[in-house]
Amino acid sequence: SQTIHQWPATLVQPVGSPLSLECTVEGTSNPNLYWYRQAAGRGLQLLFYSVGIGQISSEVPQNLSASRPQDRQFILSSKKLLLSDSGFYLCAWSGTAAYLHFGNGTRLTVT
Amino acid sequence: GENVEQHPSTLSVQEGDSAVIKCTYSDSASNYFPWYKQELGKRPQLIIDIRSNVGEKKDQRIAVTLNKTAKHFSLHITETQPEDSAVYFCAATRGSQGNLIFGKGTKLSVKP
């Protein structure tokens, strides 16, 4: 069966520090991969998606970036965090069916 | 651009009552409409979905209806229970094969 792993679960980082969140999927090949952000009490904002290794599409301009170095690995990064980057970050994957399978999320607090 | 509107943003019902959440979409090519439930601090989880060739789908106490002409779909929960309390998100595909566009969510509270 397919599983998605996302870490860390929680993270507290100072403003201006770098960020790296990692997500891996097991049990499937060539998944579509996604990074979403959810601000407190708000909806799901799509940040990046990828249909293959090295293929990244950005939905919103920001100081975040994403990379897909391997088929089932998706990384969200920032060189310098802003206060507004605080939120709940969710990695997700989809296969031939359209529905998304979400990871457990990372709660990021930028102080 | 493509948009999904969801109403209401909050909904409070008594245990045993029914709850209805409605969504409208703008892209007439959308063909897949899932609903997700997100409990506090947890990940969204798929609870039911419907494709554009179907008008209604039921799964025990949960049902979804789709009106393609009007471009709206609804989630119906009957005999609500306290454990139904959560935030519910609707979504629609961007075009026939694109990414999901989510509504802003409905916080459902079921009072015992």
Side-chain angles (χ1 to χ4, degrees):
Chain A
S1 63
Q2 302 93 349
T3 56
I4 179 168
H5 303 278
Q6 185 181 343
W7 66 94
T10 59
L11 191 59
V12 180
Q13 292 283 102
V15 168
S17 64
L19 172 73
S20 181
L21 302 181
E22 189 164 343
C23 172
T24 59
V25 180
E26 296 178 357
T28 187
S29 298
N30 196 31
N32 295 327
L33 297 173
Y34 308 81
W35 279 110
Y36 283 86
R37 177 170 62 197
Q38 189 173 31
R42 303 287 296 276
L44 295 158
Q45 180 188 32
L46 179 61
L47 302 176
F48 301 96
Y49 68 94
S50 171
V51 298
I53 296 174
Q55 301 178 60
I56 309 295
S57 297
S58 174
E59 285 291 301
V60 292
Q62 58 215 329
N63 69 320
L64 300 172
S65 62
S67 61
R68 185 170 177 172
Q70 299 181 45
D71 180 46
R72 291 169 288 176
Q73 183 185 28
F74 206 24
I75 298 171
L76 181 69
S77 304
S78 174
K79 292 182 179 178
K80 288 185 177 182
L81 284 169
L82 306 172
L83 285 174
S84 58
D85 291 325
S86 294
F88 191 46
Y89 288 81
L90 289 155
C91 181
W93 73 272
S94 68
T96 53
Y99 62 83
L100 297 173
H101 307 261
F102 286 93
N104 286 328
T106 296
R107 188 160 304 282
L108 172 65
T109 303
V110 183
T111 61
Chain B
E2 303 89 349
N3 192 36
V4 175
E5 298 283 342
Q6 183 172 347
H7 300 280
S9 57
T10 59
L11 179 59
S12 182
V13 300
Q14 288 294 132
E15 183 177 0
D17 288 350
S18 295
V20 180
I21 303 171
K22 299 181 180 181
C23 288
T24 59
Y25 60 98
S26 59
D27 189 344
S28 57
S30 297
N31 64 354
Y32 174 68
F33 309 90
W35 285 88
Y36 286 82
K37 175 183 180 183
Q38 186 179 27
E39 296 178 356
L40 189 63
K42 297 189 176 180
R43 62 181 169 179
Q45 294 196 297
L46 180 73
I47 55 172
I48 195 167
D49 56 8
I50 191 168
R51 297 195 178 273
S52 58
N53 58 349
V54 176
E56 183 177 2
K57 184 176 179 181
K58 288 184 178 180
D59 183 3
Q60 299 182 338
R61 297 186 296 109
I62 295 174
V64 57
T65 59
L66 171 66
N67 183 326
K68 285 182 60 179
T69 303
K71 289 190 283 187
H72 68 70
F73 55 112
S74 301
L75 177 71
H76 304 254
I77 306 175
T78 58
E79 301 174 26
T80 53
Q81 301 168 1
E83 51 265 39
D84 293 330
S85 296
V87 178
Y88 291 81
F89 292 96
C90 65
T93 51
R94 180 179 296 168
S96 61
Q97 296 184 9
N99 298 323
L100 290 177
I101 304 169
F102 284 86
K104 293 189 182 298
T106 296
K107 183 176 181 180
L108 173 64
S109 299
V110 180
K111 298 180 178 180

